[in-house]
Amino acid sequence: MVHRTPYPPNRGHRIRSFHWLDYLAQRCDLDVAFLADEPLTGETEQALRVRCRNVIWSLILPWQRRIQAILSLSVGATATKGAFWSNKLARQIASLCRRNSYDAILVYCSSMVQYVPAGFRKDGVIVDLVDVDSQKWLDYSRTSSLPLKWLYRVEGVRLRHVERRLPTLASWITLATVPECDLYKSFCPNARTAVVENGVNIDYFSPSLNGEELSHHRLTFVGALDYSPNRTGVIWFINKVWPILVQRFSNLELYIVGAGADGKLKAAVTHVPRVFLTGDVPDVRPFLAGAVAIVPLQLARGVQNKVLEAMAMGCATIASSPALEGISAVPGRHVLKADTPEEWINAVAGVIKNPSLRKAIGHAARDYIVQHHTWPQKLKALDELLQL
């Protein structure tokens, strides 16, 4: 049971859920139920149907989510619960459970726990929290002003209560990184937890696509720009770091790749030299090929797929401390770490001026991903949890 359409695997929530689905479809009879923000394309439906015995889904438009979230919050529940509720999907899931005897139900994110049928045995339920969502909202509350500060705080506190109750509903709670698992155990010490890290499709994200050397230097950020931490991090970089870099390097360009840029981000790049906002693209790899990847997030939860994918491409990748949390790559060897404007300027200048360093970091990054972050390696943990 997935809170958003698990295909195509081109955004964080889709990447993990799709690769879980793909892995399990090769090992067992699998049904999938999910919520969709828009009608399914023929390609999406076909991709799911070749892997799953039954595919059931319900459409919830963004305006419906907002209304349901507000109503849920107003009656003392979480906004998350309301935003991901569908009577239609609940009926479909209940019908499937009456017709089939399931060995296990996998729940992707706490928002979908509400769909587990009453009476289904606890030892057959696994909840993949991925990250500790409550902490995300509590973090937002500390960096926001009223009234959002209050709303985020309320959501965080209420979600924390939901997360504490999960061990009474499920046999295992899985998370994407060791730090997220440690955080969850800090307030739910008796939970049975397991870390199932993210992988990368190393055949798709490959240095072989890098092609010839560019006649200019390019920095590339890839990420969904309707996600606040991505947008905030990019704007910070443009305001604090880019003005110095653009003065030092006349052939340096910055590409911001992703859908969902709002007016604030568009205004931030207006009249800024050599910054290109691409919008949504069918394939991010041409923008990463030959580039230095940057991930200047000031707030992040769990593992950042954008870091892993850039490393798999053999890019010299520069990332902030929050963006590297949960990834055991060694700064200075596999990646470069930067937090302050001065650190960012020095890191970018270092790889631009020193092509040998840039190549060495890129090669080490690729080797690290191949050794530690392929999907088959990471998803073997599911075999034990599900006794496959």
Side-chain angles (χ1 to χ4, degrees):
M1 300 193 296
V2 189
H3 71 321
R4 295 187 188 275
T5 309
Y7 188 89
N10 58 3
R11 296 190 64 162
H13 59 271
R14 290 175 177 168
I15 292 170
R16 183 174 173 92
S17 61
F18 171 76
H19 283 286
W20 279 46
L21 181 151
D22 186 58
Y23 183 86
L24 292 172
Q26 300 171 47
R27 290 160 173 78
C28 59
D29 293 326
L30 184 67
D31 295 341
V32 64
F34 58 92
L35 297 166
D37 295 322
E38 57 188 10
L40 268 60
T41 65
E43 177 189 354
T44 293
E45 189 158 6
Q46 175 65 15
L48 296 177
R49 292 198 180 280
V50 298
R51 293 172 171 85
C52 301
R53 186 178 56 179
N54 291 291
V55 177
I56 61 174
W57 58 283
S58 179
L59 179 67
I60 301 185
L61 297 175
W63 66 266
Q64 293 174 296
R65 286 188 188 277
R66 288 192 289 272
I67 291 174
Q68 290 183 188
I70 293 170
L71 290 175
S72 182
L73 200 62
S74 69
V75 297
T78 65
T80 301
K81 180 178 181 179
F84 292 96
W85 176 252
S86 164
N87 287 320
K88 175 185 175 183
L89 190 65
R91 290 194 299 269
Q92 289 175 311
I93 290 172
S95 177
L96 273 183
C97 288
R98 286 193 297 269
R99 300 198 312 267
N100 299 280
S101 178
Y102 289 107
D103 296 304
I105 293 178
L106 269 67
V107 184
Y108 187 89
C109 293
S110 62
S111 57
M112 298 299 287
V113 172
Q114 59 189 320
Y115 291 100
V116 177
F120 192 86
R121 65 191 191 285
K122 170 188 168 180
D123 64 357
V125 178
I126 297 174
V127 177
D128 184 30
L129 276 186
V130 188
D131 311 321
V132 180
D133 264 353
S134 61
Q135 191 62 47
K136 174 185 70 177
W137 294 109
L138 294 172
D139 289 344
Y140 285 172
S141 74
R142 284 191 284 270
T143 58
S144 303
S145 55
L146 293 172
L148 290 180
K149 184 180 185 71
W150 177 82
L151 288 171
Y152 292 159
R153 175 72 183 174
V154 169
E155 181 70 3
V157 170
R158 291 180 182 178
L159 263 179
R160 182 62 55 92
H161 178 69
V162 171
E163 291 163 352
R164 283 195 175 101
R165 291 186 57 246
L166 291 179
T168 67
L169 306 172
S171 59
W172 286 96
I173 312 298
T174 61
L175 297 107
T177 69
V178 171
E180 291 295 308
C181 188
D182 291 343
L183 173 60
Y184 183 68
K185 294 283 281 188
S186 71
F187 62 83
C188 201
N190 297 323
R192 294 176 73 194
T193 58
V195 176
V196 182
E197 295 180 318
N198 278 8
V200 184
N201 184 339
I202 59 172
D203 295 324
Y204 185 82
F205 291 99
S206 170
S208 63
L209 299 170
N210 281 350
E212 299 179 2
E213 287 289 324
L214 299 172
S215 60
H216 56 275
H217 295 295
R218 182 170 65 201
L219 305 184
T220 297
F221 173 86
V222 175
L225 299 173
D226 54 359
Y227 181 53
S228 178
N230 285 346
R231 189 170 58 247
T232 301
V234 167
I235 292 174
W236 177 87
F237 185 87
I238 292 170
N239 290 336
K240 302 292 186 180
V241 180
W242 187 248
I244 305 300
L245 291 175
V246 81
Q247 288 179 1
R248 290 192 185 180
F249 302 100
S250 61
N251 62 344
L252 184 62
E253 298 176 346
L254 171 61
Y255 282 78
I256 303 167
V257 182
D262 65 357
K264 187 175 181 180
L265 177 54
K266 291 176 181 178
V269 304
T270 301
H271 307 306
V272 177
R274 302 197 297 277
V275 175
F276 303 94
L277 192 60
T278 70
D280 196 16
V281 297
D283 188 350
V284 302
R285 293 174 298 172
F287 296 91
L288 287 170
V292 175
I294 63 165
V295 190
L297 304 188
Q298 297 171 300
L299 177 65
R301 297 238 61 82
V303 67
Q304 295 298 310
N305 293 299
K306 59 179 72 68
V307 174
L308 299 180
E309 290 167 356
M311 293 175 67
M313 287 283 292
C315 296
T317 302
I318 309 172
S320 62
S321 296
L324 291 175
E325 188 169 336
I327 299 174
S328 57
V330 179
R333 180 181 176 190
H334 306 117
V335 295
L336 297 176
K337 183 172 71 172
D339 291 307
T340 67
E342 293 75 18
E343 289 172 345
W344 273 99
I345 292 164
N346 290 336
V348 172
V351 293
I352 296 299
K353 291 179 178 180
N354 189 341
S356 297
L357 173 63
R358 182 171 170 176
K359 288 182 180 180
I361 293 290
H363 289 156
R366 172 69 181 184
D367 290 344
Y368 168 82
I369 294 297
V370 170
Q371 292 177 28
H372 300 288
H373 276 281
T374 66
W375 280 111
Q377 288 171 332
K378 294 306 181 185
L379 294 182
K380 284 181 182 178
L382 295 180
D383 295 349
E384 182 176 350
L385 294 179
L386 292 168
Q387 299 179 354
L388 295 178

